[in-house]
């Protein structure tokens, strides 16, 4: 399981060249079922995160999950969080 603030870096290849991927994990709020990854992609020291196609970014996101050892939350945990959220709002 990932802890808030965990981070990592690795080198991978996109179609055109080698890129460096830096990621960090942030815990979600109390009502969220999971946290999220902040992912940044660099080529030759320049941030190209918003310049790459969405399909390539999705692929990199999957690579980050593998590198980080991410496991999605169980269905029971998701259902419990949703029920808890709705019980507080209604």
């Amino acid at each position: 399981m990932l802890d808030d603030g965990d981070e990592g870096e690795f080198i991978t290849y996109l179609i055109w060249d080698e890129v460096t991927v830096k990621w960090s994990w942030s815990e979600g709020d109390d009502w969220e079922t999971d946290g999220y990854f902040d992912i940044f992609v660099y080529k030759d020291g320049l941030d190209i995160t918003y310049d790459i196609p969405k399909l390539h970014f999705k692929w990199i996101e999957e690579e980050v999950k593998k590198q980080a050892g991410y496991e999605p939350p169980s269905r029971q945990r998701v259902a419990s969080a949703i029920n808890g959220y709705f019980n507080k709002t209604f």
Side-chain angles (χ1 to χ4, degrees), residues 1-45:
M1 194 67 183
L2 295 169
D3 294 320
D4 192 37
D6 283 354
E7 55 187 32
E9 179 178 328
F10 62 93
I11 295 174
T12 190
Y13 290 88
L14 289 178
I15 292 174
W16 65 90
D17 208 354
E18 180 179 271
V19 294
T20 302
V21 178
K22 295 181 181 180
W23 61 269
S24 64
W25 175 257
S26 296
E27 292 283 332
D29 293 330
D30 289 341
W31 60 271
E32 291 179 312
T33 60
D34 205 3
Y36 57 91
F37 286 100
D38 286 323
I39 301 172
F40 298 97
V41 183
Y42 298 90
K43 173 157 177 22
D44 299 328

Side-chain angles (χ1 to χ4, degrees), residues 31-78:
W31 60 271
E32 291 179 312
T33 60
D34 205 3
Y36 57 91
F37 286 100
D38 286 323
I39 301 172
F40 298 97
V41 183
Y42 298 90
K43 173 157 177 22
D44 299 328
L46 297 174
D47 184 355
I48 62 166
T49 306
Y50 300 105
D51 299 331
I52 60 176
K54 185 176 182 176
L55 180 62
H56 291 176
F57 187 81
K58 289 290 187 186
W59 181 81
I60 287 174
E61 187 176 38
E62 290 303 315
E63 289 296 308
V64 166
K65 289 178 181 180
K66 288 180 195 173
Q67 292 278 336
Y70 172 76
E71 294 180 24
S74 68
R75 288 183 179 182
Q76 182 179 10
R77 181 176 170 202
V78 171

